[in-house]
Amino acid sequence: GCFLLWLLPAILRARASPETRPSSALCRQSPSKVSCKGVGLRKFPEELSQGIKHLELSNNFIQNLSGSYMPGFGQLEYLDVCFNQLEAVSATALARLPRLRSLLLGSNHLDRNYLANGDAFRLLRKIEVLDLSVNNLESHMASWYISNLTSLRVLDLSGNRMTKLLAGTFRSSPLLRQLDLSDNYIMEIQEGAFEPLEGLEVLNLALNSLHCISGFSLTQLRVLNLSYNSLELFFSEEAAEPYLLRVLDLSHNRLLSFPALPKAHDLTHLNLSNNLIASLLPGSPRPSEFVLLYTEMERFNRTVHPAAALTRLAELDLSNNRLELFPFSFFHPLGSLHSLSLARNCLQEVARESLSNGTELSVRSLDLHSNALHVLPRWFFDSLPHLESVNLGSNSLQPCESRGSGLGRGLGGDSHSCTPFYNVPRLKHLSLSENNISRLQPYAFSRTPLLSLDLSGNRDLSMPTGALGGLELSLQELSLRDNQMDERQAALPCLGTLRVLDLSGNRLSLLPAGLSCSPLESLDIRDNNLQTLGTAGSWSRSLRAVSLAGNPWSCCSLGWLDT
């Protein structure tokens, strides 16, 4: 018995070993598609049905593709060998794949025999999609692999060790539409490197070491990602043909100014977050530590208005920069802008400059959280008539008082110490979290049809009766989390449409009486001083989720659990 038990693990391993079972038994098969993902293969699977067009071999231990064990794959169009140990590809093997159009070889070791492998690749006459990512390829190796692939349309060279783009790298691939060069060490792009790619639409150069883009002239590009580089300058050339660029990502760089973009383009999405931009106004002084490193900077200085051409821009992200001023004059030409983020800057005030009082922006979603704003004047909201959502968290804004729900503009509308959030006719979502609001004034949001309101993180916030007056028939979500409020500070009106309420992180021993008429579906009352939930009966038909932890519940008052 002991001998048999000692042998049992070896017997089980032998039964499960790929070497002792037919390879095809480990794969999932359909008439034209076979998947052998992660089944422990060390070579091409055998005994597969004829006529397969789609074969997945990723996450195995295959070291080479040899033609000696690849019969019957003449119809194959798609082959995935990613995440193996592949280092050798024979010409005999590729010669048996005359119809192959997609070849995925990412995360292997194709740097080891790149000369012989590159020779074999010359047989891939019909290949359109090629993945060579994460193969430790240097610049000359990558060039060699694609030196004769004339039908290539999609190429992934991300995650390699390329340091520069050679002028002739893409000479044989004029049909390329999508090119991924991200996560390399590219510091230099030789002149003319992209010149053969007249049809290139998507280019990803993120996560490299580029310092300057000068004379950008890829007019046919639709999407360009240059994020996570060290760019200090982006300067484009004016071209005879219009630029077709729609999406440009320049985030996580070292840009000191708004980029010099061409006048004729269709740009709709521009990401400039996480840079060093300190001003958007033309002629603004540069940081004292800046040194003029590029002659192109002198040409950029002559740009009168860098935003004047962005008439189709819909989304602009300027978060995590060094802006101290919100200049309305800069955004005024952006007639299609609907989403704007200036979060995590150093904004202290908004400036209308010399524009007329009738100036309006088309923005619908505005993110200004984590700045140093103390007040927003009435004209700020009047100039944003389409505003539906605004995040003002982590500032120092105090809401003004309104005289009542039906009296129009109320007390404090012209105050220099508070912000009027009442009578903003299209505003539906507002966050005032972490603004050090100590007291919410009566009817602070009157005639503003809010659907959601975030007042969390305002320690010792006091909400007297009527503070939320005017929201009885609109408010659906309310957060009063982490305010350390007791029941005397939390007077809620009868909010007839309230469905989501967060009261966690307070000092409530009783729930606000006004909640009895709210059709709550989600209630968070964690970390309070509640001993009972007396009004639970009124929610028995609507409540779907409730969080209760961190309260000193009384074992003698648990009748509410029955509901």
Side-chain angles (χ1 to χ4, degrees):
C2 293
F3 177 72
L4 289 175
L5 289 174
W6 178 70
L7 280 177
L8 185 58
I11 295 172
L12 292 175
R13 282 197 301 271
R15 286 187 175 182
S17 171
E19 303 296 336
T20 60
R21 297 178 61 189
S23 299
S24 57
L26 302 171
C27 305
R28 296 188 300 275
Q29 300 190 47
S30 67
S32 62
K33 181 177 179 179
V34 176
S35 177
C36 303
K37 291 183 179 180
V39 297
L41 293 176
R42 298 186 180 276
K43 62 180 183 178
F44 243 69
E46 301 173 0
E47 302 177 12
L48 296 178
S49 57
Q50 299 291 318
I52 294 174
K53 295 183 178 180
H54 188 112
L55 179 57
E56 299 175 350
L57 300 174
S58 60
N59 297 93
N60 284 289
F61 305 100
I62 300 172
Q63 290 185 309
N64 62 80
L65 296 184
S66 170
S68 60
Y69 49 81
M70 292 179 58
F73 290 102
Q75 304 297 316
L76 198 64
E77 297 178 358
Y78 177 99
L79 176 59
D80 181 356
V81 199
C82 291
F83 295 99
N84 276 270
Q85 298 174 3
L86 193 65
E87 56 185 55
V89 181
S90 74
T92 308
L94 297 185
R96 296 191 176 187
L97 305 174
R99 298 193 178 184
L100 194 64
R101 284 179 168 76
S102 297
L103 178 59
L104 278 57
L105 300 173
S107 298
N108 281 288
H109 307 295
L110 294 178
D111 57 317
R112 296 180 182 174
N113 297 285
Y114 79 94
L115 288 174
N117 294 339
D119 275 332
F121 269 44
R122 294 174 180 271
L123 296 171
L124 297 172
R125 297 184 180 89
K126 294 186 178 182
I127 202 73
E128 296 179 0
V129 179
L130 178 62
D131 180 0
L132 291 173
S133 62
V134 195
N135 270 284
N136 291 312
L137 299 179
E138 298 179 16
S139 299
H140 65 284
M141 298 176 183
S143 297
W144 179 245
Y145 269 109
I146 65 171
S147 60
N148 199 42
L149 304 183
T150 56
S151 300
L152 204 57
R153 295 179 180 273
V154 179
L155 175 60
D156 189 349
L157 289 169
S158 62
N160 282 291
R161 293 190 296 149
M162 302 173 66
T163 57
K164 61 182 176 180
L165 289 183
L166 306 174
T169 298
F170 307 108
R171 185 182 298 119
S172 300
S173 306
L175 300 181
L176 263 182
R177 294 290 184 270
Q178 299 181 28
L179 176 58
D180 191 345
L181 295 163
S182 63
D183 198 13
N184 277 278
Y185 303 92
I186 298 173
M187 295 182 285
E188 177 188 357
I189 301 176
Q190 291 187 353
E191 187 174 355
F194 295 118
E195 193 170 319
L197 306 180
E198 296 182 354
L200 189 65
E201 297 179 353
V202 180
L203 175 58
N204 189 352
L205 280 163
L207 291 160
N208 278 285
S209 302
L210 295 168
H211 288 266
C212 170
I213 298 294
S214 173
F216 173 76
S217 58
L218 298 176
T219 58
Q220 78 283 2
L221 269 186
R222 302 294 205 281
V223 178
L224 175 59
N225 187 350
L226 285 164
S227 62
Y228 291 94
N229 277 272
S230 300
L231 290 175
E232 297 175 343
L233 172 69
F234 181 93
F235 191 91
S236 56
E237 295 284 355
E238 293 299 339
E241 299 178 4
Y243 281 77
L244 302 179
L245 192 65
R246 292 181 176 272
V247 179
L248 176 58
D249 190 344
L250 293 170
S251 64
H252 295 88
N253 279 284
R254 299 182 60 81
L255 292 174
L256 297 164
S257 304
F258 200 89
L261 301 170
K263 292 182 180 179
H265 58 70
D266 298 326
L267 198 65
T268 59
H269 296 73
L270 177 58
N271 190 347
L272 295 172
S273 64
N274 294 275
N275 277 281
L276 304 174
I277 301 173
S279 178
L280 298 175
L281 298 177
S284 300
R286 303 193 181 281
S288 58
E289 68 272 15
F290 175 68
V291 178
L292 190 66
L293 296 177
Y294 310 106
T295 56
E296 290 85 358
M297 273 294 187
E298 297 177 0
R299 299 162 63 191
F300 177 74
N301 282 342
R302 294 197 295 268
T303 302
V304 177
H305 206 302
L310 303 178
T311 56
R312 298 188 182 182
L313 192 66
E315 295 188 14
L316 174 59
D317 190 346
L318 281 161
S319 60
N320 263 319
N321 276 279
R322 297 182 177 181
L323 297 169
E324 297 182 1
L325 190 67
F326 187 124
F328 262 70
S329 62
F330 179 88
F331 300 108
H332 183 239
L334 311 184
S336 301
L337 189 66
H338 65 73
S339 178
L340 173 62
S341 177
L342 292 165
R344 296 183 297 276
N345 274 274
C346 310
L347 296 177
Q348 300 179 35
E349 58 179 322
V350 295
R352 193 162 37 171
E353 293 90 28
S354 59
L355 294 178
S356 64
N357 292 333
T359 299
E360 294 183 354
L361 303 186
S362 58
V363 173
R364 296 198 297 268
S365 176
L366 179 62
D367 190 349
L368 295 174
H369 85 268
S370 300
N371 278 283
L373 294 168
H374 290 271
V375 63
L376 294 175
R378 163 54 61 182
W379 64 258
F380 179 81
F381 293 104
D382 291 341
S383 300
L384 294 164
H386 306 286
L387 190 63
E388 297 180 358
S389 175
V390 60
N391 186 348
L392 294 167
S394 298
N395 282 282
S396 298
L397 297 168
Q398 302 293 320
C400 293
E401 176 184 357
S402 174
R403 288 176 179 171
S405 60
L407 297 179
R409 297 182 181 180
L411 184 64
D414 297 320
S415 172
H416 296 290
S417 61
C418 64
T419 299
F421 291 103
Y422 50 83
N423 198 22
V424 187
R426 294 195 181 184
L427 189 61
K428 296 180 174 62
H429 307 281
L430 172 62
S431 174
L432 288 170
S433 64
E434 299 180 9
N435 267 266
N436 295 314
I437 302 172
S438 57
R439 180 180 176 82
L440 202 60
Q441 302 297 332
Y443 296 100
F445 309 104
S446 174
R447 302 184 69 180
T448 298
L450 291 177
L451 299 179
S452 67
L453 175 61
D454 187 352
L455 293 168
S456 63
N458 291 288
R459 191 176 180 86
D460 292 322
L461 174 65
S462 177
M463 291 177 49
T465 303
L468 297 183
L471 299 180
E472 292 88 348
L473 300 179
S474 67
L475 196 63
Q476 298 179 10
E477 299 183 16
L478 174 63
S479 177
L480 297 170
R481 183 183 69 254
D482 294 332
N483 286 332
Q484 295 299 306
M485 305 165 69
D486 59 31
E487 54 272 15
R488 295 170 299 177
Q489 297 170 294
L492 297 181
C494 179
L495 299 171
T497 58
L498 190 65
R499 289 175 171 77
V500 178
L501 176 61
D502 189 348
L503 290 169
S504 62
N506 285 287
R507 295 181 286 116
L508 300 174
S509 56
L510 295 172
L511 291 180
L515 291 182
S516 59
C517 62
S518 298
L520 288 178
E521 297 177 3
S522 175
L523 175 64
D524 191 341
I525 48 176
R526 290 173 293 173
D527 301 318
N528 277 279
N529 295 325
L530 294 166
Q531 296 186 27
T532 183
L533 201 61
T535 58
S538 61
W539 311 321
S540 59
R541 293 184 178 181
S542 62
L543 200 61
R544 296 292 179 266
V546 59
S547 301
L548 304 166
N551 283 282
W553 301 108
S554 170
C555 294
C556 300
S557 304
L558 293 177
W560 52 270
L561 281 175
D562 294 336
T563 62

